[in-house]
Amino acid sequence: MITLSILCLLFSNAVTLRRDMSILFNRIAIIALAYCFLQDIVSLSLINKGIGLHGGLLHITNITQIFHIFVFIISILILQLTSFFPRKVWVKEHSSLKHLLFDNFVYYRTKIINKMGEHLKIIEYPLIILFVVSGAIFLMSTNDLVSIFLSIELQSYGLYLLSTIYRNSELATTGGLIYFLLGGLSSCFILLGTSLLYANSGTTNMDGLYVITSISDGAALNSWYKPYYINFSLLIFSIGFLFKVSAAPFHFWSPDVYDAIPTIVTTFVAIIAKISIFILLLEIVYFTSNYFSDFNWTFGLLMSSLLSLIVGTVVGLTQFRIKRLFAYSTISHVGFILLALSITSIESIQAFIFYLMQYSISNLNAFIILVTIGFSFYFYVTENKEHKELLDKNNSPIQLISQLRGYFYVNPVLALSFAITIFSFVGVPPLVGFFAKQMVLSAALDNGYVFLSLVAILTSVIGAVYYLNIIKEIFFYKPEYRINSILKDRKLSSHIYNKDGVLIENLEFKYNNIVMSSPISITISSITLLILLFIFMNKEWLSMGTILVQILFNN
């Protein structure tokens, strides 16, 4: 279905000259992803222990299918940002169900709904997103070294293109170039690890590798095989993936790239790439963690976890640009995910699945709110010179933490949603982020990783400082914004027509009738309620994690 959608969009892009058709293509991409989502839901009950496809190149299991569904949902929510106009006019007296169904509300100010917004004119955007999603789906299901490399490159090329898709933005081009060059370097590590594994084992199929690593008697292999060789190969192989997920000490590209590229694109780059790589690493770690050699390659993941926790927290304290802050926050979260991944017990894999899902959802909410805050400043002006002189302001309206000063007095509901999401990042109970961290720390302590658990607890406490700084800016200062004097007393005209096109009423509205559009509002409120009320609906989510882990360990 994804392949068919890609082909249709390719042909459509080739024959259309109208840039404003992008909004239609985004909606088509959403329909395609929704169909893929339904297809996976239907086939979920058919697959129990897994099925091999295309001669063993792909391996579909319940875990990969659940995360296929998860990636489709996240992609649909991200595509919503470019599939609908961000603002609408809402007049209470004319917003009943009857009015919505039988009347048309017409106004002619295109700037009100941001029709000419840059993000609504990029016709290739949904096409490239479908390429990235295809790469992510293949990567999670792949079972061969060659198809691993092809999938990661399909995903990465799409992300490089997405980063530089705003052609007129110097910052976005710079960020995309940094991402491309360092992404190319990480691919070299993956290729080197692949070639070493192939040179030593004579097979590119992961099943062959898992057979070698599962042989318990090391003495039987020593005559023809060096036991430490496969571990060093897998360590080099994993360095390439740690680069891609921006784990320390391979994190240096991510703050620059996150900050430079437009916020709508950052939302996608920060989430989808990480989900697919971590699910691939989960299978490799699970099947090779009991290898008989003195040195195990998963020790490298533990070291990276330790460094990620420290770097993500300490360096984040000095940041004043919000997307750079989110980049360091992501590095800190990657530290927790790697810690859960490296332990490979039933509890830790359950914690890993849960943490990865809640991280993705919380991060998605934070970025959507950040984009929405930018849209909500339409009728406000500020005298702050630093804010006026920001580069690339059209593509990333919110760049500095200081821009959020006093936002609670501008839009209290959105400010509260943002605060709930940030408290979830900190790990404040009873929000979903607390349970995720508690599960990881519990699994680490049960398996004797006391030092790493202490570091994780300390970094969580220190990391709360930079999160609380955002809360302080939003709630404890008066805003620097004032309503634009041109709009303040201006009355805007609109007309209400019935379904036959007959004029029913001429209507006037003011600036305070301009609100956020329904898809964005519904998405933010739904995810915020999920984060806030997780304690009341945790059974399904936790049960799913337990079932997936049991299936994995019983295979």
Side-chain angles (χ1 to χ4, degrees), residues 52-315:
L53 299 173
H54 303 298
L57 282 180
L58 299 174
H59 185 225
I60 310 294
T61 62
N62 284 124
I63 286 185
T64 60
Q65 277 201 297
I66 288 289
F67 276 93
H68 286 180
I69 291 166
F70 188 62
V71 164
F72 292 142
I73 293 169
I74 296 280
S75 303
I76 287 168
L77 293 176
I78 294 171
L79 273 166
Q80 272 192 334
L81 290 170
T82 47
S83 301
F84 302 95
F85 298 121
R87 289 184 290 265
K88 67 176 182 183
V89 175
W90 185 75
V91 181
K92 191 176 180 181
E93 301 78 44
H94 296 274
S95 298
S96 67
L97 194 60
K98 175 179 168 288
H99 283 102
L100 290 173
L101 291 174
F102 298 109
D103 297 340
N104 286 330
F105 185 70
V106 180
Y107 48 92
Y108 297 104
R109 302 269 171 183
T110 56
K111 282 193 174 178
I112 290 173
I113 57 170
N114 197 29
K115 252 186 178 176
M116 305 313 290
E118 184 76 17
H119 64 291
L120 300 172
K121 292 192 289 185
I122 298 173
I123 207 164
E124 303 84 4
Y125 180 76
L127 177 65
I128 296 168
I129 277 189
L130 286 179
F131 271 114
V132 177
V133 170
S134 305
I137 297 302
F138 285 133
L139 186 62
M140 284 189 269
S141 311
T142 188
N143 198 39
D144 192 278
L145 291 170
V146 175
S147 56
I148 285 175
F149 184 72
L150 292 174
S151 305
I152 191 75
E153 288 309 292
L154 176 61
Q155 176 181 289
S156 299
Y157 286 160
L159 292 172
Y160 305 149
L161 288 171
L162 272 186
S163 302
T164 54
I165 199 164
Y166 287 71
R167 299 181 185 84
N168 302 327
S169 167
E170 194 177 321
L171 275 177
T173 310
T174 309
L177 196 58
I178 294 168
Y179 193 15
F180 171 64
L181 292 172
L182 292 171
L185 177 64
S186 65
S187 298
C188 294
F189 279 104
I190 294 170
L191 270 180
L192 178 60
T194 302
S195 58
L196 289 173
L197 286 167
Y198 176 66
N200 204 46
S201 62
T203 178
T204 60
N205 196 295
M206 298 302 284
D207 287 338
L209 193 69
Y210 301 151
V211 167
I212 293 170
T213 55
S214 64
I215 296 172
S216 56
D217 184 12
L221 281 175
N222 276 346
S223 56
W224 62 276
Y225 191 82
K226 296 288 179 279
Y228 55 80
Y229 195 101
I230 202 165
N231 273 311
F232 282 119
S233 305
L234 282 169
L235 185 64
I236 292 167
F237 188 67
S238 67
I239 285 171
F241 288 111
L242 291 175
F243 247 113
K244 302 273 186 194
V245 296
S246 71
F250 314 107
H251 66 282
F252 36 82
W253 61 268
S254 86
D256 293 330
V257 172
Y258 277 37
D259 194 38
I261 62 181
T263 311
I264 284 173
V265 177
T266 314
T267 311
F268 203 80
V269 171
I271 300 170
I272 299 295
K274 291 178 177 50
I275 298 172
S276 55
I277 290 169
F278 277 125
I279 296 303
L280 171 71
L281 286 175
L282 170 64
E283 189 169 317
I284 297 173
V285 169
Y286 173 71
F287 284 113
T288 60
S289 60
N290 298 322
Y291 195 35
F292 56 81
S293 173
D294 298 332
F295 162 76
N296 196 293
W297 72 281
T298 52
F299 182 73
L301 298 182
L302 277 173
M303 285 294 94
S304 180
S305 166
L306 176 65
L307 288 168
S308 297
L309 287 166
I310 294 167
V311 169
T313 304
V314 175
V315 186

